[in-house]
Amino acid sequence: MADIPTSNGVMTTNSTGLADLPLELILKIFRDTLLNSGRDLHNLTITCKALHFTFKCHQKYILSVILDEQSDEDLAMSSARYHAAMAPWRDVKDFEAPALRNLPAYHRHVKEFCSDHISRQGTQLTIPRSLFTLGMVTHFQEHHPPIQRMAAELVKLVVEGRVDPRPSSAEVRRVVKSLWILDLVQILFPKTWAPGTTLQEDPISPFWSCFAPWESDQVQWVADRLADNLRCTFCF
């Protein structure tokens, strides 16, 4: 758990308002704002230099209000998704854009990405919590809740027909993780690779090597169930 700062001074400013409040109260406002929205906190911290300075000085403590409540696995997968979305080398979703021609180079990028951001099958953090940024926390806030909601619906299919219809926490976690992985696949590999691509050249091979074989099967199951649900949605 992060230590509560005891210092009672902030960067001085000639203006009056939020920046003139005691430090402990400013930090409480920052943390309460973050609980509501990371984007709101970002907007608040850029209103003046004093508040931005205070945030930077106490960022670890402020972000801990979110980070301390999350599992390593959820944060690890969210961090991987954040960095995948930010990767300048990733393929684009525009299907009218030309296909990638340099597959070995993409293979190398994916391999480096997996080495940097996916560790021990995505169960451990490759970036310590203390180095998470507001952008990474905001990314988690915006993507984890919908993944949890989808998992809550999909896990009902896992237990369908059982005497005890209540899913175990392990079953829910597996579906949540599968949704994170599926999201990563859609970001890094938005198109179908050309037939005839060898395993050595296939950019997705180093990605799947990060996970257990059963996990790729489970991701496929989740993808199929989502596709079934989408087809049912458009059935008239």
Side-chain angles (χ1 to χ4, degrees):
M1 299 290 289
D3 295 331
I4 298 177
T6 57
S7 171
N8 57 6
V10 296
M11 183 177 177
T12 58
T13 177
N14 292 327
S15 62
T16 59
L18 179 59
D20 296 307
L21 294 174
L23 176 62
E24 289 77 7
L25 184 53
I26 294 175
L27 296 181
K28 184 181 187 307
I29 292 171
F30 280 172
R31 283 161 66 93
D32 289 347
T33 303
L34 178 58
L35 286 171
N36 181 61
S37 166
R39 293 183 185 271
D40 287 349
L41 177 58
H42 169 74
N43 291 335
L44 179 60
T45 61
I46 61 174
T47 55
C48 72
K49 291 182 179 180
L51 292 179
H52 183 71
F53 178 81
T54 302
F55 171 76
K56 286 297 183 182
C57 288
H58 301 284
Q59 178 172 286
K60 179 181 175 181
Y61 169 68
I62 295 164
L63 300 185
S64 70
V65 72
I66 297 293
L67 297 176
D68 285 353
E69 300 300 318
Q70 311 305 327
S71 69
D72 281 356
E73 185 171 81
D74 281 333
L75 291 178
M77 296 306 296
S78 174
S79 174
R81 190 198 186 283
Y82 172 82
H83 287 92
M86 300 291 287
W89 47 264
R90 68 184 178 92
D91 196 8
V92 295
K93 291 184 179 180
D94 183 1
F95 284 85
E96 295 184 359
L100 288 174
R101 298 188 180 278
N102 193 346
L103 290 182
Y106 204 78
H107 182 284
R108 184 175 64 255
H109 284 308
V110 171
K111 191 172 183 179
E112 291 172 352
F113 171 85
C114 292
S115 176
D116 291 341
H117 299 293
I118 303 178
S119 173
R120 296 181 67 85
Q121 300 181 1
T123 59
Q124 292 188 356
L125 288 167
T126 59
I127 298 176
R129 293 169 188 248
S130 60
L131 296 182
F132 267 58
T133 65
L134 178 56
M136 293 169 67
V137 171
T138 302
H139 192 84
F140 176 84
Q141 283 183 306
E142 293 178 347
H143 293 89
H144 187 52
I147 281 180
Q148 284 185 308
R149 289 193 294 270
M150 284 190 286
E153 294 301 316
L154 287 169
V155 79
K156 295 177 183 177
L157 301 176
V158 175
V159 301
E160 194 173 39
R162 287 196 330 206
V163 175
D164 185 356
R166 294 172 298 180
S168 67
S169 59
E171 288 172 325
V172 175
R173 286 198 304 271
R174 285 196 291 268
V175 176
V176 167
K177 185 178 179 183
S178 293
L179 286 165
W180 279 119
I181 296 173
L182 181 60
D183 213 7
L184 276 171
V185 170
Q186 293 173 333
I187 291 171
L188 295 174
F189 315 103
K191 299 174 185 174
T192 302
W193 301 103
T197 303
T198 65
L199 184 62
Q200 289 73 26
E201 294 175 327
D202 183 1
I204 205 169
S205 59
F207 177 83
W208 285 122
S209 69
C210 297
F211 303 100
W214 64 265
E215 288 186 291
S216 61
D217 294 337
Q218 185 161 288
V219 171
Q220 185 62 60
W221 180 88
V222 166
D224 290 343
R225 300 294 79 74
L226 290 174
D228 290 344
N229 184 66
L230 183 62
R231 281 193 291 270
C232 290
T233 301
F234 288 95
C235 288
F236 296 98

Short mmCIF file of all heavy atoms in Angstrom, two decimals, residues 60 63 67 72 75-76 79 83 116 124-133 136-137:
data_model
loop_
_atom_site.label_atom_id
_atom_site.label_comp_id
_atom_site.label_asym_id
_atom_site.label_seq_id
_atom_site.Cartn_x
_atom_site.Cartn_y
_atom_site.Cartn_z
N LYS A 60 2.30 8.52 -7.50
CA LYS A 60 2.24 7.13 -7.03
C LYS A 60 1.12 6.96 -6.00
O LYS A 60 0.34 6.01 -6.07
CB LYS A 60 3.58 6.72 -6.44
CG LYS A 60 3.61 5.30 -5.89
CD LYS A 60 4.97 4.98 -5.31
CE LYS A 60 4.99 3.61 -4.65
NZ LYS A 60 6.32 3.31 -4.05
N LEU A 63 -2.49 7.46 -7.71
CA LEU A 63 -2.93 6.35 -8.55
C LEU A 63 -3.17 5.07 -7.75
O LEU A 63 -3.89 4.18 -8.20
CB LEU A 63 -1.89 6.08 -9.65
CG LEU A 63 -1.60 7.24 -10.62
CD1 LEU A 63 -0.65 6.78 -11.72
CD2 LEU A 63 -2.89 7.79 -11.23
N LEU A 67 -4.96 1.32 -8.30
CA LEU A 67 -4.04 0.19 -8.53
C LEU A 67 -4.04 -0.81 -7.38
O LEU A 67 -3.93 -2.02 -7.61
CB LEU A 67 -2.63 0.72 -8.77
CG LEU A 67 -2.46 1.59 -10.02
CD1 LEU A 67 -1.03 2.12 -10.10
CD2 LEU A 67 -2.79 0.79 -11.28
N ASP A 72 -2.79 -8.44 -10.12
CA ASP A 72 -1.66 -8.32 -11.03
C ASP A 72 -2.05 -8.74 -12.45
O ASP A 72 -1.64 -8.11 -13.43
CB ASP A 72 -0.49 -9.20 -10.55
CG ASP A 72 0.29 -8.56 -9.42
OD1 ASP A 72 -0.02 -7.40 -9.05
OD2 ASP A 72 1.20 -9.21 -8.89
N LEU A 75 -4.13 -6.03 -14.26
CA LEU A 75 -3.27 -4.89 -14.59
C LEU A 75 -2.27 -5.26 -15.67
O LEU A 75 -1.96 -4.43 -16.54
CB LEU A 75 -2.55 -4.39 -13.34
CG LEU A 75 -3.43 -3.70 -12.28
CD1 LEU A 75 -2.58 -3.30 -11.07
CD2 LEU A 75 -4.13 -2.47 -12.86
N ALA A 76 -1.75 -6.49 -15.63
CA ALA A 76 -0.79 -6.92 -16.63
C ALA A 76 -1.42 -6.96 -18.02
O ALA A 76 -0.83 -6.48 -19.01
CB ALA A 76 -0.22 -8.30 -16.27
N SER A 79 -2.17 -3.39 -19.14
CA SER A 79 -0.94 -2.72 -19.55
C SER A 79 -0.51 -3.17 -20.94
O SER A 79 -0.08 -2.36 -21.77
CB SER A 79 0.18 -3.01 -18.53
OG SER A 79 1.42 -2.50 -18.97
N HIS A 83 -0.17 -0.71 -24.29
CA HIS A 83 1.04 -0.56 -25.10
C HIS A 83 0.85 -1.10 -26.51
O HIS A 83 1.47 -0.60 -27.45
CB HIS A 83 2.22 -1.24 -24.40
CG HIS A 83 2.71 -0.49 -23.20
ND1 HIS A 83 2.24 -0.73 -21.93
CD2 HIS A 83 3.58 0.55 -23.08
CE1 HIS A 83 2.83 0.09 -21.08
NE2 HIS A 83 3.63 0.88 -21.74
N ASP A 116 8.47 -7.64 -23.79
CA ASP A 116 8.40 -6.45 -22.94
C ASP A 116 7.12 -6.38 -22.10
O ASP A 116 7.13 -5.84 -20.99
CB ASP A 116 8.50 -5.18 -23.79
CG ASP A 116 9.88 -4.99 -24.40
OD1 ASP A 116 10.85 -5.60 -23.90
OD2 ASP A 116 9.98 -4.24 -25.39
N GLN A 124 1.80 -11.88 -14.57
CA GLN A 124 2.64 -11.02 -13.75
C GLN A 124 2.91 -9.71 -14.46
O GLN A 124 3.00 -9.65 -15.68
CB GLN A 124 3.97 -11.72 -13.42
CG GLN A 124 3.80 -12.92 -12.50
CD GLN A 124 5.14 -13.46 -12.04
OE1 GLN A 124 6.19 -13.00 -12.45
NE2 GLN A 124 5.10 -14.47 -11.18
N LEU A 125 3.07 -8.67 -13.67
CA LEU A 125 3.34 -7.35 -14.22
C LEU A 125 4.75 -7.26 -14.76
O LEU A 125 5.71 -7.70 -14.12
CB LEU A 125 3.16 -6.28 -13.13
CG LEU A 125 1.72 -6.00 -12.68
CD1 LEU A 125 1.72 -5.19 -11.40
CD2 LEU A 125 0.97 -5.27 -13.77
N THR A 126 4.89 -6.72 -15.96
CA THR A 126 6.21 -6.42 -16.50
C THR A 126 6.61 -4.99 -16.17
O THR A 126 7.78 -4.63 -16.30
CB THR A 126 6.23 -6.62 -18.03
OG1 THR A 126 5.26 -5.75 -18.63
CG2 THR A 126 5.90 -8.07 -18.39
N ILE A 127 5.64 -4.19 -15.78
CA ILE A 127 5.87 -2.81 -15.34
C ILE A 127 5.36 -2.69 -13.91
O ILE A 127 4.18 -2.98 -13.65
CB ILE A 127 5.15 -1.81 -16.26
CG1 ILE A 127 5.67 -1.91 -17.68
CG2 ILE A 127 5.30 -0.38 -15.73
CD1 ILE A 127 4.93 -1.03 -18.67
N PRO A 128 6.19 -2.31 -12.96
CA PRO A 128 5.72 -2.20 -11.57
C PRO A 128 4.58 -1.20 -11.44
O PRO A 128 4.47 -0.25 -12.21
CB PRO A 128 6.96 -1.71 -10.81
CG PRO A 128 8.10 -1.84 -11.73
CD PRO A 128 7.59 -1.91 -13.12
N ARG A 129 3.73 -1.44 -10.47
CA ARG A 129 2.61 -0.52 -10.23
C ARG A 129 3.10 0.91 -10.02
O ARG A 129 2.43 1.86 -10.41
CB ARG A 129 1.82 -0.98 -9.00
CG ARG A 129 1.08 -2.30 -9.18
CD ARG A 129 0.54 -2.81 -7.87
NE ARG A 129 0.00 -4.17 -8.03
CZ ARG A 129 -1.28 -4.49 -7.93
NH1 ARG A 129 -2.17 -3.56 -7.65
NH2 ARG A 129 -1.68 -5.74 -8.09
N SER A 130 4.25 1.04 -9.40
CA SER A 130 4.78 2.37 -9.10
C SER A 130 5.13 3.16 -10.35
O SER A 130 5.26 4.38 -10.30
CB SER A 130 6.03 2.26 -8.21
OG SER A 130 7.04 1.51 -8.86
N LEU A 131 5.26 2.47 -11.50
CA LEU A 131 5.60 3.14 -12.76
C LEU A 131 4.39 3.29 -13.68
O LEU A 131 4.53 3.77 -14.80
CB LEU A 131 6.71 2.38 -13.48
CG LEU A 131 8.06 2.32 -12.75
CD1 LEU A 131 9.10 1.60 -13.59
CD2 LEU A 131 8.56 3.73 -12.40
N PHE A 132 3.21 2.89 -13.21
CA PHE A 132 2.01 3.12 -14.01
C PHE A 132 1.76 4.62 -14.12
O PHE A 132 1.96 5.37 -13.17
CB PHE A 132 0.80 2.44 -13.37
CG PHE A 132 0.53 1.05 -13.87
CD1 PHE A 132 1.50 0.06 -13.77
CD2 PHE A 132 -0.68 0.73 -14.46
CE1 PHE A 132 1.27 -1.22 -14.23
CE2 PHE A 132 -0.93 -0.55 -14.92
CZ PHE A 132 0.05 -1.54 -14.81
N THR A 133 1.33 5.04 -15.29
CA THR A 133 1.01 6.44 -15.52
C THR A 133 -0.50 6.66 -15.42
O THR A 133 -1.29 5.70 -15.40
CB THR A 133 1.48 6.88 -16.91
OG1 THR A 133 0.73 6.14 -17.90
CG2 THR A 133 2.97 6.62 -17.10
N MET A 136 -2.20 5.01 -18.30
CA MET A 136 -2.37 3.56 -18.17
C MET A 136 -3.53 3.24 -17.24
O MET A 136 -4.30 2.30 -17.48
CB MET A 136 -1.07 2.93 -17.67
CG MET A 136 0.07 3.01 -18.67
SD MET A 136 1.67 2.53 -17.96
CE MET A 136 1.40 0.79 -17.66
N VAL A 137 -3.65 4.00 -16.16
CA VAL A 137 -4.76 3.77 -15.21
C VAL A 137 -6.09 4.12 -15.88
O VAL A 137 -7.09 3.40 -15.72
CB VAL A 137 -4.55 4.60 -13.93
CG1 VAL A 137 -5.79 4.54 -13.04
CG2 VAL A 137 -3.32 4.08 -13.16
#
